[in-house]
Amino acid sequence: MSRWEIVSYVAIFVYTLVMLLNDQSILLVLGTVLVAGLIMFSIFVLYPMVWETRMDRLEAFLRRKQHAPYIYINYATANRLDEEVELTMEKLMSNTSASKSTKANYQAAYGAYRKDLFTVRKAVREMHKSVYRTYYETFVLIEEGETERAREHLSSIKREWMRFALLAKIERKLNHYKEAEELAAQAVKASKGVNRYAMTKEYERYYTKEQQAQ
């Protein structure tokens, strides 16, 4: 938790206490706390997860979230921290309040991380019909070398960063390195939040000068 988050929580607590000591309506107090809580959640969690584009802020946000497995898994996978990925996945899978479909999304991401197509296929069957299900179905086709079928799947994916990321994988699979790099750069540009972080890390992994030299 950042310093600003701590200060904000303390401020809400003090404000609530003052209102109660001044015999304010309990409904007014609860309403104020609820609104303040929603604003804080939007500023400190929702915005960085969905809209942030600065890598330094995303890095700091994700590194602080070890207590929140559903967020921290993005940091662990993007940085290829195998042990932390395993530990975080254990926490996600042991969460009894998570739905079967939600867990399937995590399992698909984990399977893709491990290049374990059996796990991805199994997870896809348990996912609700969504852009993420199509994404992982396309991922499997690419890994199996079915590049033309993968291109057909892409037509139903409306999110630009997903399309560019998958197209980059296709071109890399075909050893079209320059085209893959250009598409990966477009995936970074089109993404925001934790997706921007993941796309940037993948770009650095495959297309930096240091990686090209290896």
Side-chain angles (χ1 to χ4, degrees), residues 141-152:
L141 290 172
I142 295 170
E143 290 299 313
E144 291 177 335
E146 299 283 348
T147 55
E148 291 307 312
R149 288 183 60 198
R151 290 183 193 277
E152 293 173 6

Side-chain angles (χ1 to χ4, degrees), residues 1-17 33 36-45 65 67:
M1 186 178 295
S2 71
R3 178 180 62 183
W4 288 113
E5 287 179 88
I6 294 172
V7 169
S8 299
Y9 282 120
V10 171
I12 290 177
F13 174 78
V14 172
Y15 181 73
T16 303
L17 188 60
V33 171
L38 288 173
I39 292 173
M40 286 179 58
F41 178 79
S42 297
I43 293 172
F44 295 120
V45 179
K65 295 300 179 180
H67 66 284

Side-chain angles (χ1 to χ4, degrees), residues 109-209:
Y110 175 72
Y113 172 82
R114 296 290 302 272
K115 297 293 181 70
D116 180 351
L117 299 187
F118 175 80
T119 296
V120 179
R121 289 194 202 93
K122 181 181 178 183
V124 164
R125 288 195 293 270
E126 297 177 350
M127 293 169 66
H128 293 315
K129 188 175 181 180
S130 67
V131 67
Y132 286 100
R133 177 170 179 166
T134 306
Y135 177 89
Y136 288 113
E137 287 173 341
T138 308
F139 171 85
V140 171
L141 290 172
I142 295 170
E143 290 299 313
E144 291 177 335
E146 299 283 348
T147 55
E148 291 307 312
R149 288 183 60 198
R151 290 183 193 277
E152 293 173 6
H153 268 238
L154 285 171
S155 62
S156 63
I157 297 178
K158 304 304 180 184
R159 297 186 186 183
E160 283 191 336
W161 72 267
M162 284 188 172
R163 289 204 311 274
F164 287 134
L166 290 168
L167 283 168
K169 289 181 185 295
I170 290 173
E171 296 302 332
R172 197 164 68 241
K173 194 79 172 178
L174 297 172
N175 295 318
H176 299 160
Y177 193 86
K178 183 178 179 180
E179 292 84 351
E181 182 178 4
E182 291 173 353
L183 288 162
Q186 291 183 69
V188 171
K189 186 177 180 180
S191 58
K192 296 179 181 179
V194 295
N195 295 320
R196 167 70 71 98
Y197 187 83
M199 292 298 98
T200 301
K201 288 294 183 179
E202 180 158 338
Y203 183 89
E204 292 173 352
R205 185 173 303 115
Y206 289 109
Y207 306 107
T208 59
K209 291 181 180 179

Side-chain angles (χ1 to χ4, degrees), residues 40-55:
M40 286 179 58
F41 178 79
S42 297
I43 293 172
F44 295 120
V45 179
L46 190 60
Y47 180 82
M49 283 193 69
V50 179
W51 293 294
E52 183 61 78
T53 57
R54 284 184 50 175
M55 281 295 288

